[in-house]
Amino acid sequence: MSMSKAAFVLVHGGWHNHSAWNKVTPILEAQGFAALTLDLPGAGVNARAPTSLGRRPFDPAAFAAEQSPIAGLTQRERTQAVVALIKEAASFSDGKVILVGHSAGGMTISGVAEQVPNLILAVVYIAGFMAPNGMPLLAMLQHETMSSALSPRLFVGDPASIGATRINAGSTDEAYRSLLKASFYGDVSESEFEHAASQLHCDESNAGALAPSEITPERFGTVPRHYIRCTRDCAVPLPGQDHMIAMVDGAIGGKTITHTLESSHSPFLSQPANLSRILIDIAVQSLAEQSADAPQVVSIHEHG
């Protein structure tokens, strides 16, 4: 069983796009792994900004009130986009796929693991939202273990009326930009932060925040799961990360295997080598376990 045939599918978090993985994919590929990324529906090339964002002079009140162009986007659309990529990855990796999700992308990878558990060797959350069955992301964000999260202070407008959770990553307000950096990129250089912020889109459909997690022991529970804890995270604080791990382990059964990085919310930028090392170790372990579990072919020779 060749390790080189394993493939990673990497799912970005909220307001981000596939470029979040640009420092990680070359490391994985250099070690013989395929690494597939995508822009989720509503993100990256699929993002659509409210027209008020581009108007000059900029009108903050109009920006805060305009209905989101992606208000109708559903979590199912995102889940299906990743299922399609999983199937593509499985087609050339003998079904050996490691599914990785960051932050809000955790809700998507949970849904994917529930739909196609047979195609996934392991699912990996990086400071990700891993919610038990029936719980939406918003409910977890409002839990007391998340009370120190800085990211909600970035939100612009009323999500219920505009149909999205909106940020203004292009804001020139120094206090807002400092908060953005502290929320997502606390241990990232200023120049890297500027580049990362330039890649962010402004709207995340409410559907992603309100759709309840749909995971069951019979399907999701059969996929080995890993969680990479980020100890200096100010978007998904460590107590919240640990609470989600405990909740899902209690509800689904089995044990989430944990790994820890002394990093902010974005180790793919600040510690790509350390993050990649953990991912590769997970792949190696998962392949070894699959090989050990595979039926053994016994050759019987008759002697006259």
Coordinates of all heavy atoms in Angstrom, one line a residue, residues 139-177:
A139 N -25.1 28.4 17.6 CA -25.3 28.0 19.0 C -24.0 27.7 19.7 O -23.8 28.1 20.9 CB -26.2 26.7 19.0
M140 N -23.0 27.1 19.0 CA -21.7 26.8 19.6 C -21.0 28.2 19.8 O -20.3 28.3 20.8 CB -20.9 25.9 18.6 CG -19.6 25.5 19.3 SD -19.7 24.7 20.8 CE -18.4 25.5 21.8
L141 N -21.1 29.1 18.9 CA -20.4 30.4 19.0 C -20.9 31.1 20.2 O -20.2 31.9 20.8 CB -20.6 31.2 17.7 CG -19.8 32.5 17.6 CD1 -18.3 32.2 17.7 CD2 -20.1 33.2 16.3
Q142 N -22.2 30.9 20.5 CA -22.8 31.6 21.7 C -22.6 30.9 23.0 O -23.0 31.4 24.0 CB -24.3 31.8 21.4 CG -24.6 32.7 20.2 CD -26.1 32.7 19.9 OE1 -26.8 31.8 20.2 NE2 -26.5 33.8 19.2
H143 N -21.9 29.7 23.0 CA -21.7 29.0 24.2 C -20.7 29.7 25.1 O -19.8 30.4 24.6 CB -21.2 27.6 23.9 CG -21.2 26.7 25.1 ND1 -20.0 26.5 25.9 CD2 -22.1 25.9 25.6 CE1 -20.3 25.6 26.8 NE2 -21.6 25.2 26.7
E144 N -20.8 29.5 26.4 CA -19.9 30.3 27.3 C -18.4 30.0 27.1 O -17.6 30.8 27.4 CB -20.3 29.9 28.8 CG -20.2 28.5 29.1 CD -20.7 28.1 30.5 OE1 -21.3 29.0 31.2 OE2 -20.4 27.0 31.0
T145 N -18.1 28.8 26.6 CA -16.7 28.5 26.4 C -16.1 29.3 25.2 O -14.9 29.3 25.0 CB -16.5 27.0 26.0 OG1 -17.3 26.7 24.9 CG2 -16.9 26.1 27.2
M146 N -16.9 30.0 24.5 CA -16.5 30.8 23.3 C -16.5 32.3 23.7 O -16.4 33.2 22.8 CB -17.4 30.6 22.1 CG -17.3 29.1 21.6 SD -15.8 28.7 20.7 CE -16.2 29.6 19.2
S147 N -16.8 32.6 24.9 CA -17.0 34.0 25.3 C -15.9 35.0 25.1 O -16.1 36.2 24.9 CB -17.4 34.1 26.8 OG -16.4 33.6 27.6
S148 N -14.6 34.4 25.0 CA -13.5 35.3 24.8 C -13.2 35.5 23.3 O -12.2 36.2 23.0 CB -12.2 34.7 25.5 OG -11.9 33.5 24.9
A149 N -14.0 34.9 22.4 CA -13.7 35.1 21.0 C -13.8 36.5 20.5 O -14.8 37.2 20.9 CB -14.8 34.2 20.2
L150 N -12.8 37.0 19.8 CA -12.8 38.3 19.3 C -13.6 38.5 18.0 O -14.1 39.6 17.7 CB -11.3 38.8 19.1 CG -10.4 38.8 20.3 CD1 -9.0 39.3 19.8 CD2 -11.0 39.7 21.4
S151 N -13.7 37.4 17.2 CA -14.3 37.6 15.9 C -15.7 38.2 15.8 O -16.0 38.9 14.9 CB -14.2 36.2 15.2 OG -14.7 35.2 16.0
P152 N -16.6 37.9 16.8 CA -17.9 38.5 16.7 C -17.9 40.0 16.7 O -18.8 40.6 16.2 CB -18.7 37.9 17.9 CG -18.0 36.6 18.2 CD -16.6 36.8 17.9
R153 N -16.9 40.6 17.3 CA -16.8 42.0 17.3 C -16.4 42.6 15.9 O -16.5 43.8 15.7 CB -15.7 42.5 18.3 CG -16.1 42.2 19.7 CD -15.0 42.2 20.7 NE -14.1 43.4 20.6 CZ -13.0 43.5 21.3 NH1 -12.5 42.5 22.0 NH2 -12.3 44.6 21.1
L154 N -16.1 41.7 15.0 CA -15.9 42.2 13.6 C -17.1 42.3 12.8 O -17.1 42.9 11.7 CB -14.9 41.2 12.9 CG -13.5 41.0 13.4 CD1 -12.8 39.8 12.8 CD2 -12.7 42.3 13.1
F155 N -18.2 41.7 13.2 CA -19.4 41.6 12.4 C -20.1 43.0 12.2 O -20.2 43.8 13.1 CB -20.4 40.6 13.1 CG -19.9 39.2 13.3 CD1 -20.6 38.4 14.2 CD2 -18.8 38.8 12.6 CE1 -20.1 37.1 14.4 CE2 -18.3 37.5 12.8 CZ -19.0 36.6 13.7
V156 N -20.5 43.2 11.0 CA -21.1 44.4 10.5 C -22.6 44.2 10.2 O -22.9 43.3 9.4 CB -20.4 45.0 9.3 CG1 -21.0 46.3 8.8 CG2 -18.9 45.2 9.6
G157 N -23.5 45.0 10.7 CA -24.9 44.9 10.4 C -25.5 43.8 11.2 O -24.9 43.1 12.0
D158 N -26.8 43.6 11.0 CA -27.6 42.6 11.6 C -27.7 41.4 10.7 O -28.4 41.4 9.7 CB -29.0 43.2 11.9 CG -30.0 42.1 12.5 OD1 -29.5 41.1 13.1 OD2 -31.2 42.3 12.3
P159 N -27.1 40.3 11.1 CA -27.1 39.1 10.2 C -28.5 38.6 9.9 O -28.7 38.2 8.7 CB -26.4 38.0 11.1 CG -25.5 38.8 12.0 CD -26.2 40.1 12.3
A160 N -29.4 38.8 10.8 CA -30.8 38.3 10.5 C -31.5 39.1 9.4 O -32.2 38.5 8.6 CB -31.7 38.4 11.8
S161 N -31.2 40.4 9.3 CA -31.8 41.2 8.3 C -31.1 41.2 7.0 O -31.7 41.3 5.9 CB -32.0 42.6 8.8 OG -30.7 43.2 9.0
I162 N -29.8 41.0 7.0 CA -29.0 41.0 5.7 C -28.8 39.6 5.2 O -28.3 39.5 4.0 CB -27.7 41.8 5.8 CG1 -26.7 41.1 6.8 CG2 -27.9 43.3 6.3 CD1 -25.3 41.8 6.9
G163 N -29.0 38.6 6.0 CA -28.9 37.2 5.5 C -27.5 36.7 5.5 O -27.2 35.7 4.9
A164 N -26.6 37.4 6.2 CA -25.2 36.9 6.2 C -24.5 37.5 7.4 O -24.9 38.5 8.0 CB -24.5 37.4 4.9
T165 N -23.4 36.8 7.8 CA -22.5 37.3 8.8 C -21.4 38.1 8.0 O -20.7 37.5 7.2 CB -21.8 36.2 9.6 OG1 -22.9 35.4 10.1 CG2 -21.0 36.8 10.7
R166 N -21.4 39.4 8.1 CA -20.6 40.3 7.3 C -19.4 40.9 8.0 O -19.5 41.3 9.2 CB -21.5 41.4 6.8 CG -20.8 42.4 5.9 CD -21.8 43.3 5.2 NE -22.6 42.5 4.2 CZ -23.7 42.9 3.7 NH1 -24.3 44.1 4.0 NH2 -24.4 42.2 2.8
I167 N -18.2 40.9 7.4 CA -17.1 41.6 7.9 C -16.6 42.6 6.8 O -17.0 42.5 5.7 CB -15.9 40.7 8.3 CG1 -15.3 39.9 7.1 CG2 -16.4 39.7 9.4 CD1 -14.1 39.1 7.4
N168 N -15.7 43.5 7.2 CA -15.1 44.4 6.2 C -13.6 44.3 6.3 O -13.0 45.1 6.9 CB -15.6 45.9 6.5 CG -15.1 46.9 5.5 OD1 -14.6 46.5 4.4 ND2 -15.3 48.1 5.7
A169 N -13.1 43.3 5.6 CA -11.7 43.0 5.7 C -10.9 44.1 5.0 O -9.7 44.2 5.3 CB -11.4 41.7 5.0
G170 N -11.5 44.9 4.2 CA -10.7 46.0 3.5 C -10.8 47.3 4.3 O -10.4 48.4 3.8
S171 N -11.4 47.3 5.5 CA -11.5 48.5 6.2 C -10.2 49.2 6.5 O -9.2 48.5 6.7 CB -12.2 48.2 7.6 OG -12.2 49.4 8.4
T172 N -10.2 50.5 6.4 CA -8.9 51.3 6.7 C -8.9 51.8 8.1 O -7.9 52.4 8.5 CB -8.8 52.5 5.7 OG1 -10.0 53.3 5.8 CG2 -8.7 52.0 4.3
D173 N -9.9 51.5 8.9 CA -10.0 51.9 10.3 C -8.9 51.1 11.1 O -9.0 49.8 11.1 CB -11.4 51.6 10.9 CG -11.5 52.0 12.3 OD1 -11.6 53.2 12.6 OD2 -11.4 51.1 13.2
E174 N -8.0 51.7 11.7 CA -6.9 51.0 12.4 C -7.4 50.1 13.5 O -6.8 49.0 13.6 CB -5.9 52.1 12.9 CG -5.1 52.8 11.8 CD -4.0 53.6 12.4 OE1 -3.7 53.5 13.6 OE2 -3.4 54.4 11.6
A175 N -8.4 50.5 14.3 CA -8.9 49.7 15.3 C -9.5 48.4 14.8 O -9.3 47.3 15.3 CB -9.9 50.5 16.2
Y176 N -10.3 48.6 13.7 CA -10.9 47.4 13.1 C -9.8 46.4 12.5 O -9.9 45.2 12.7 CB -11.9 47.8 12.0 CG -12.7 46.7 11.5 CD1 -14.0 46.4 12.0 CD2 -12.3 45.9 10.4 CE1 -14.8 45.4 11.6 CE2 -13.1 44.9 9.9 CZ -14.4 44.6 10.5 OH -15.1 43.6 10.0
R177 N -8.8 47.0 11.9 CA -7.8 46.1 11.3 C -7.0 45.4 12.4 O -6.6 44.3 12.3 CB -6.9 46.9 10.4 CG -7.6 47.4 9.1 CD -6.6 47.9 8.0 NE -5.8 46.8 7.4 CZ -6.3 46.0 6.5 NH1 -7.6 46.0 6.2 NH2 -5.5 45.1 6.0

